[in-house]
C-alpha cells in the first residue's frame, strides 16, 4: 500500500510574516498571487534570502514589503526606486527587488523609474498593474485605459494611458516582460529569469481589482477577471513593445519582450573610475556590521 | 572611535565653507552622497565627487531632490554613512523624506546652504530663511537637530558633529549654512584622524530572534540598529509602527512611538545644545544671533561697547533643539534681547517664547540678499538701551 504524504504547510509560508496575517488585500485581488509567484521564483533561484531586500512604495502593492519575511522597506509614495538605488550602491551584495504598483512607479515615481533604467542599476522591478489607484479609492491612474469609469473620471477616462513595457524599454531596461495573474507559472519563471540577469529588470503583472476597477465598470469579480485574462491574453515573446498597449476590453499581449545586454551601472562606474584614476581609485568597501553592545 | 585616516585631509587649508563641509563629511566617515545641483550648495558635492572615488566613497547625482533625499536613506540601511546637500527650493522638495528619516529613525545628514526666498528667490545670495522649515517643514510631530556654522572652520567641525549626533540619536541632522558662510574662504585646520571622534553606528549584538528593530534602548531611548543583508529580516516603514517595526495604526501605538521620537531629543536637549556666550554676566542687553549674522553682530557689539553699553553675545550653534533654558535664564537677568536674522523674523519667535515677557525682545529683520550693516544692529542695541 502506498502512503501519501500530505504537506500541512504551504511551501511559501516561511517567506511570509505569518504574525501579520490576515493581510489587507480584498477578495479577488491579484497581489497575493504575485507574491506567491515571487516566493516560488526565490525558491527556484536558490538565492541567499538574507541578501534579498524588498523595497516598496505606497498603495496596495506597497504593502508587499510588510508581508514578506525578508529585509523589507516600505518607503514613500513613488520613491521606492531611488531608495533601492541607494541601498544597492551602498551594499552591492544585496539583491534588491522593487515591488510596487503602477501608480507608484509610473505616476509619482515615473521620473525615478526612467532614470534608474537609463543608468541600468541592478534592480529587479515587479510592477503590479491593476490599472487604477486602489488604496486611495479607485481614482484614475496613468495606466487606466480609455473609457473606464473611476472615482475621478465619472464620465469615463479620456487621458491617453501609458504603454508601460514600451516606456521601460525606451528608458534602457535590459529585461522587460508582462504577464497576468492568470499566468502563474510563466510569471514565476519569468521572475526567476529576471533575478538571474544583472541590470535593470522589469516585469509588469496585470492584476485584478474587483473592488474598485471592475465593480464600477460592471466587469464582474476576481474570477471573471481570470476568465478575461485567459480569453484575451496572447503570448508573443519578443513582440515589439510599441505594439503591446492595453485597452479596456481588447487583447492582452504577454510574454518576454526584451532580453538584452547593457553595462550595469556599478560595473560601468568601477570600470570608468579605474580607467580615469588608476591606482588612486579606491573601490567602496562593504560595511560589516560591528557587533557592539548598546551602551 | 577615531576617524578613518583615508578620509582626513590633515593640515591647514584655505577653503570655502562648502568645501570645508565636504571635508567634514569625509572625516566623519560619509562614504555615500547623493545630490541634485542647486546654487549655492553644489560645491559641497562637487568636491565630494572629486574626492570620494579616492577614499572608497560613492557619489551619485540623482534626477531630483526627492530622489537624492531618499537614496541616502537607502544607503544608510545598506550600512553607509550618507548625506545630501541642497538649498531652499530643493530643501522644500526634500521635506517628505525628512519626515521619513524621522519616522524610520534613519541617521543621515542634510546640508542646507540657505539662499533668499520664497520660491526661486535669490539663487546666489544669502538668507537664513529656512530656519522654521527645517524645524517644521515635514508633516506630523517630530524632532531634528540643526547646527549653524559661522565660518568655514565650523563648516568642517560641525559637519562631524552633525554626523555624530545623527548616529547617536538616529535623527536627520542638518547643517544650516548660508550663502556667505558657504562661499567665504578662510583658513581651515583639519586635525589628524586620531584627534577626530567619530560616533560608530550602534549595531545590535542581539541575535535576529531576540531583536526588535524599534525597541527603545539605553538612556537616550534610541533603538539599536541593523543593516540589510545580515539576516535580521527587518521591516522599515513610514507608517506608525510597533517595536517590531510592524505597521500598527492605533492611537496607543502612535502615542508610544511619537512620545519616544520627540522625547529622545527633547529630553536630551541639554546634552545636544551647543552655544557660545560672552559678556552676558552683568549685561543689560544680549544679542542673540547665529550663522553669518553672528559675525556682523560682533562688530555691532564692539561698537556698543565703545559707547559704554553693557551688551553681551549669545550665539546659537545648535538652533534645534532650541536652548530654551539658557535663553530663559538670560532673559531673567537682562533688560532686552536683540535678535538680528537674515529673515523677516523666525528664530526671534523662539527667543520671545523663552523670554516669557521677562525681557524686551527686539527683532532686527533683514530680507536677505546681503548681510546686515553693523549699524542696523547697533541702532537696535542703542534703542533698547535707552
Amino acid at each position: 500500500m502506498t502512503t501519501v504524504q500530505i504537506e500541512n504547510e504551504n511551501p511559501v509560508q516561511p517567506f511570509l510574516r505569518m504574525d501579520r496575517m490576515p493581510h489587507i488585500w480584498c477578495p479577488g485581488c491579484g497581489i497575493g498571487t504575485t507574491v506567491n509567484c515571487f516566493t516560488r521564483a526565490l525558491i527556484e533561484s536558490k538565492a541567499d534570502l538574507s541578501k534579498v531586500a524588498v523595497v516598496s512604495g505606497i498603495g496596495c502593492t506597497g504593502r508587499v514589503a510588510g508581508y514578506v519575511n525578508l529585509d523589507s522597506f516600505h518607503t514613500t509614495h513613488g520613491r521606492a526606486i531611488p531608495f533601492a538605488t541607494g541601498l544597492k550602491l551602498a551594499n552591492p551584495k544585496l539583491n534588491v527587488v522593487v515591488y510596487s504598483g503602477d501608480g507608484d512607479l509610473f505616476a509619482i515615481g515615473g521620473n525615478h523609474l526612467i532614470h534608474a533604467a537609463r543608468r541600468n542599476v541592478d534592480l529587479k522591478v515587479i510592477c503590479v498593474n491593476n490599472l487604477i489607484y486602489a488604496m486611495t479609492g479607485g481614482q484614475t491612474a496613468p495606466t487606466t485605459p480609455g473609457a473606464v469609469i473611476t472615482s475621478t473620471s465619472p464620465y469615463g477616462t479620456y487621458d491617453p494611458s501609458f504603454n508601460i513595457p514600451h516606456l521601460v524599454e525606451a528608458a534602457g531596461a535590459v529585461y522587460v516582460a508582462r504577464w497576468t495573474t492568470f499566468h502563474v507559472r510563466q510569471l514565476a519563471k519569468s521572475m526567476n529569469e529576471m533575478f538571474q540577469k544583472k541590470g535593470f529588470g522589469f516585469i509588469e503583472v496585470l492584476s485584478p481589482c474587483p473592488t474598485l476597477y471592475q465593480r464600477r465598470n460592471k466587469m464582474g469579480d476576481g474570477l471573471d477577471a481570470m476568465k478575461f485574462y485567459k480569453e484575451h491574453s496572447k503570448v508573443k515573446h519578443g513582440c515589439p513593445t510599441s505594439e503591446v498597449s492595453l485597452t479596456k476590453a481588447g487583447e492582452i499581449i504577454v510574454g518576454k519582450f526584451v532580453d538584452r545586454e547593457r553595462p550595469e551601472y556599478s560595473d560601468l562606474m568601477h570600470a570608468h573610475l579605474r580607467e580615469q584614476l588608476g591606482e588612486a581609485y579606491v573601490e567602496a568597501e562593504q560595511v560589516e556590521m560591528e557587533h557592539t553592545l548598546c551602551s | 572611535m577615531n576617524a578613518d585616516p583615508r578620509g582626513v585631509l590633515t593640515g591647514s587649508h584655505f577653503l570655502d565653507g562648502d568645501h570645508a563641509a565636504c571635508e567634514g563629511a569625509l572625516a566623519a566617515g560619509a562614504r555615500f552622497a547623493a545630490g541634485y545641483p542647486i546654487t549655492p550648495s553644489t560645491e559641497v558635492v562637487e568636491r565630494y565627487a572629486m574626492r570620494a572615488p579616492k577614499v572608497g566613497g560613492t557619489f551619485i547625482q540623482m534626477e531630483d531632490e526627492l530622489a537624492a533625499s531618499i537614496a541616502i536613506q537607502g544607503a544608510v540601511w545598506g550600512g553607509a554613512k550618507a548625506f545630501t546637500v541642497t538649498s531652499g527650493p530643493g530643501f522644500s522638495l526634500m521635506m517628505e523624506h525628512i519626515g521619513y528619516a524621522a519616522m524610520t529613525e534613519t541617521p543621515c545628514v542634510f546640508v542646507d546652504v540657505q539662499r533668499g526666498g520664497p520660491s526661486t528667490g535669490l539663487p546666489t545670495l544669502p538668507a537664513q530663511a529656512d530656519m522654521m522649515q527645517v524645524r517644521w517643514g515635514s508633516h506630523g510631530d517630530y524632532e531634528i537637530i540643526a547646527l549653524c556654522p559661522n565660518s568655514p572652520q565650523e563648516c568642517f567641525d560641525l559637519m562631524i558633529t552633525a554626523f555624530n549626533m545623527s548616529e547617536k540619536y538616529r535623527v536627520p541632522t542638518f547643517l544650516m549654512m548660508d550663502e556667505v558662510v558657504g562661499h567665504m574662504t578662510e583658513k581651515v585646520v583639519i586635525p589628524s584622524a586620531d584627534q577626530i571622534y567619530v560616533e560608530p553606528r550602534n549595531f545590535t549584538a542581539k541575535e535576529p530572534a531576540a531583536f526588535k528593530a524599534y525597541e527603545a534602548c539605553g538612556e537616550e531611548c534610541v533603538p539599536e540598529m541593523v543593516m540589510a543583508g545580515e539576516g535580521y529580516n527587518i521591516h522599515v516603514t513610514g507608517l506608525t509602527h510597533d517595536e517590531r517595526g510592524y505597521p500598527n495604526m492605533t492611537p496607543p501605538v502612535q502615542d508610544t512611538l511619537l512620545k519616544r521620537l520627540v522625547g529622545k531629543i527633547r529630553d536630551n536637549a541639554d546634552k545636544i545644545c551647543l552655544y557660545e556666550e560672552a559678556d552676558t554676566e552683568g549685561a543689560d542687553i544680549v544679542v542673540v544671533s547665529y550663522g553669518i549674522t553672528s559675525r556682523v553682530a560682533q562688530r555691532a557689539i564692539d561698537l556698543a561697547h565703545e559707547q559704554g553699553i553693557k551688551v553681551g553675545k549669545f550665539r546659537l550653534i545648535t538652533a534645534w533643539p532650541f536652548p530654551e533654558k539658557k535663553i530663559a535664564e538670560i532673559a531673567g537677568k537682562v533688560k532686552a534681547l536683540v535678535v538680528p536674522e537674515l529673515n523677516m523674523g523666525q528664530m526671534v519667535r523662539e527667543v520671545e517664547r523663552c523670554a516669557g515677557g521677562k525681557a524686551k525682545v527686539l527683532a532686527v529683520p533683514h530680507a536677505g540678499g546681503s548681510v546686515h550693516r553693523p549699524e542696523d544692529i547697533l541702532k537696535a542695541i542703542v534703542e533698547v538701551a535707552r
Side-chain angles (χ1 to χ4, degrees):
Chain A
M1 198 176 111
T2 315
T3 310
V4 178
Q5 189 76 34
I6 298 171
E7 287 189 33
N8 289 321
E9 195 179 273
N10 189 316
V12 305
Q13 204 163 301
F15 291 83
L16 303 175
R17 297 184 197 274
M18 293 308 291
D19 52 353
R20 287 211 61 212
M21 295 297 145
H23 58 69
I24 60 160
W25 297 314
C26 303
C29 169
I31 298 171
T33 306
T34 72
V35 174
N36 197 330
C37 295
F38 173 59
T39 58
R40 287 171 193 278
L42 286 177
I43 295 169
E44 197 64 29
S45 72
K46 299 185 173 58
D48 174 359
L49 295 179
S50 71
K51 299 293 178 202
V52 178
V54 173
V55 184
S56 290
I58 296 295
C60 296
T61 312
R63 293 303 185 97
V64 167
Y67 294 126
V68 291
N69 195 21
L70 300 163
D71 284 327
S72 52
F73 300 92
H74 184 218
T75 68
T76 47
H77 192 30
R79 319 301 169 190
I81 284 179
F83 183 98
T85 300
L87 184 62
K88 178 70 187 177
L89 290 183
N91 202 336
K93 283 184 198 162
L94 295 173
N95 296 310
V96 182
V97 180
V98 173
Y99 210 128
S100 221
D102 52 301
D104 191 83
L105 289 167
F106 284 87
I108 188 166
N111 195 32
H112 309 308
L113 188 136
I114 58 173
H115 288 282
R118 165 177 69 88
R119 296 183 184 108
N120 199 24
V121 184
D122 187 26
L123 301 176
K124 314 302 171 198
V125 181
I126 297 165
C127 172
V128 178
N129 184 2
N130 56 16
L131 307 171
I132 204 160
Y133 284 102
M135 193 171 273
T136 41
Q139 297 85 5
T140 305
T143 47
T144 309
V148 166
I149 307 288
T150 74
S151 62
T152 49
S153 62
Y155 310 110
T157 45
Y158 44 84
D159 280 27
S161 64
F162 264 141
N163 171 351
I164 287 179
H166 192 39
L167 176 66
V168 177
E169 181 189 13
V174 292
Y175 185 94
V176 182
R178 174 197 279 158
W179 298 101
T180 77
T181 51
F182 173 74
H183 300 87
V184 287
R185 290 183 192 283
Q186 295 94 326
L187 176 59
K189 186 169 170 263
S190 188
M191 285 175 173
N192 182 26
E193 193 174 46
M194 175 171 71
F195 296 158
Q196 307 303 326
K197 196 169 173 72
K198 198 167 182 182
F200 190 89
F202 180 88
I203 297 176
E204 175 189 12
V205 193
L206 276 177
S207 172
C209 177
T211 307
L212 291 157
Y213 184 87
Q214 289 160 237
R215 182 175 53 83
R216 276 207 181 89
N217 290 282
K218 300 184 173 40
M219 294 170 83
D221 58 18
L223 189 59
D224 293 309
M226 288 302 113
K227 285 177 188 161
F228 181 80
Y229 290 161
K230 184 184 175 190
E231 288 162 10
H232 289 74
S233 294
K234 195 167 180 183
V235 180
K236 273 193 191 175
H237 294 300
C239 182
T241 53
S242 57
E243 296 170 14
V244 304
S245 296
L246 296 169
T247 56
K248 185 180 172 186
E251 197 173 54
I252 303 168
I253 308 291
V254 296
K256 180 171 75 175
F257 305 135
V258 177
D259 191 348
R260 61 183 169 180
E261 302 301 323
R262 279 182 67 217
E264 189 273 330
Y265 183 77
S266 292
D267 291 343
L268 204 60
M269 175 177 75
H270 295 314
H272 181 78
L273 291 173
R274 212 173 283 126
E275 187 187 323
Q276 293 296 314
L277 297 173
E279 287 185 1
Y281 179 52
V282 179
E283 200 173 306
E285 284 170 24
Q286 192 78 20
V287 181
E288 299 294 341
M289 190 192 287
E290 284 180 38
H291 290 271
T292 52
L293 284 169
C294 182
S295 54
Chain B
M1 62 187 238
N2 292 334
D4 174 356
R6 287 175 299 180
V8 182
L9 207 63
T10 303
S12 290
H13 306 272
F14 194 50
L15 293 178
D16 73 21
D18 281 357
H19 286 184
C22 171
E23 291 302 329
L26 287 165
R31 293 295 178 268
F32 185 91
Y36 185 78
I38 183 167
T39 304
S41 71
T42 315
E43 292 91 335
V44 184
V45 285
E46 284 173 357
R47 188 177 180 99
Y48 191 84
M50 182 85 83
R51 295 263 288 126
K54 297 175 183 175
V55 298
T58 302
F59 171 69
I60 182 167
Q61 184 172 314
M62 297 300 286
E63 52 275 10
D64 59 28
E65 284 89 348
L66 289 137
S69 59
I70 195 79
I72 60 166
Q73 299 188 47
V76 167
W77 285 100
K81 288 191 177 182
F83 74 108
T84 189
V85 172
T86 193
S87 186
F91 202 43
S92 297
L93 295 179
M94 290 182 175
M95 282 302 140
E96 183 183 19
H97 293 140
I98 288 163
Y100 187 76
M103 188 57 139
T104 57
E105 298 180 76
T106 303
C108 51
V109 174
F110 293 74
V111 178
D112 177 12
V113 189
Q114 298 169 83
R115 66 194 226 181
S119 192
T120 19
L122 305 168
T124 60
L125 299 170
Q128 295 174 313
D130 303 347
M131 299 307 295
M132 284 292 162
Q133 188 183 17
V134 67
R135 173 69 186 83
W136 300 107
S138 198
H139 56 279
D141 288 303
Y142 63 100
E143 291 281 343
I144 51 91
I145 297 172
L147 301 161
C148 302
N150 75 352
S151 67
Q153 180 68 52
E154 279 200 350
C155 290
F156 174 83
D157 296 339
L158 294 181
M159 189 69 163
I160 297 170
T161 307
F163 269 98
N164 288 349
M165 286 186 171
S166 183
E167 292 294 334
K168 189 171 173 67
Y169 295 99
R170 283 185 65 179
V171 284
T173 299
F174 300 83
L175 197 65
M176 300 300 288
M177 293 156 64
D178 57 71
E179 186 275 334
V180 178
V181 167
H183 284 162
M184 67 159 56
T185 304
E186 288 181 341
K187 182 180 174 182
V188 175
V189 178
I190 299 179
S192 59
D194 59 8
Q195 299 296 308
I196 297 171
Y197 174 73
V198 171
E199 183 83 29
R201 185 153 299 164
N202 191 13
F203 286 128
T204 191
K206 289 179 183 155
E207 293 298 317
F211 178 71
K212 287 183 187 167
Y214 288 97
E215 187 175 27
C217 193
E219 64 177 275
E220 278 95 10
C221 292
V222 180
E224 294 172 334
M225 209 165 167
V226 298
M227 55 190 267
E230 299 283 334
Y232 282 81
N233 291 354
I234 46 166
H235 184 53
V236 174
T237 177
L239 291 169
T240 296
H241 47 268
D242 62 19
E243 289 184 335
R244 295 169 300 176
Y246 288 7
N248 183 331
M249 277 146 282
T250 59
V253 172
Q254 170 80 349
D255 186 65
T256 304
L257 178 61
L258 267 281
K259 279 181 177 159
R260 189 174 61 72
L261 289 183
V262 301
K264 69 181 178 178
I265 301 303
R266 290 182 189 176
D267 298 344
N268 293 299
D270 291 345
K271 285 193 255 175
I272 296 167
C273 283
L274 301 169
Y275 49 82
E276 182 183 88
E277 62 179 317
D279 304 322
T280 52
E281 283 301 317
D284 290 330
I285 296 153
V286 167
V287 179
V288 180
S289 60
Y290 53 93
I292 190 58
T293 309
S294 67
R295 294 177 68 161
V296 185
Q298 184 62 56
R299 174 67 182 152
I301 290 166
D302 293 344
L303 292 170
H305 283 164
E306 286 172 16
Q307 293 186 25
I309 302 169
K310 286 196 265 182
V311 55
K313 170 175 92 170
F314 188 87
R315 176 163 77 96
L316 300 166
I317 297 175
T318 311
W320 305 109
F322 192 75
E324 301 181 352
K325 288 181 196 162
K326 195 69 203 169
I327 293 290
E329 182 192 314
I330 293 171
K333 296 177 186 170
V334 299
K335 278 181 16 187
L337 296 161
V338 172
V339 189
E341 315 179 69
L342 287 185
N343 57 52
M344 298 310 285
Q346 294 195 13
M347 299 305 287
V348 68
R349 289 166 170 259
E350 283 298 292
V351 177
E352 279 169 347
R353 182 176 68 80
C354 298
K358 287 182 283 183
K360 185 178 179 181
V361 177
L362 185 65
V364 189
H366 189 300
S370 66
V371 296
H372 289 80
R373 290 186 309 145
E375 294 74 19
D376 296 337
I377 302 172
L378 177 66
K379 194 176 152 196
I381 294 169
V382 171
E383 185 184 323
V384 292
R386 279 198 199 112

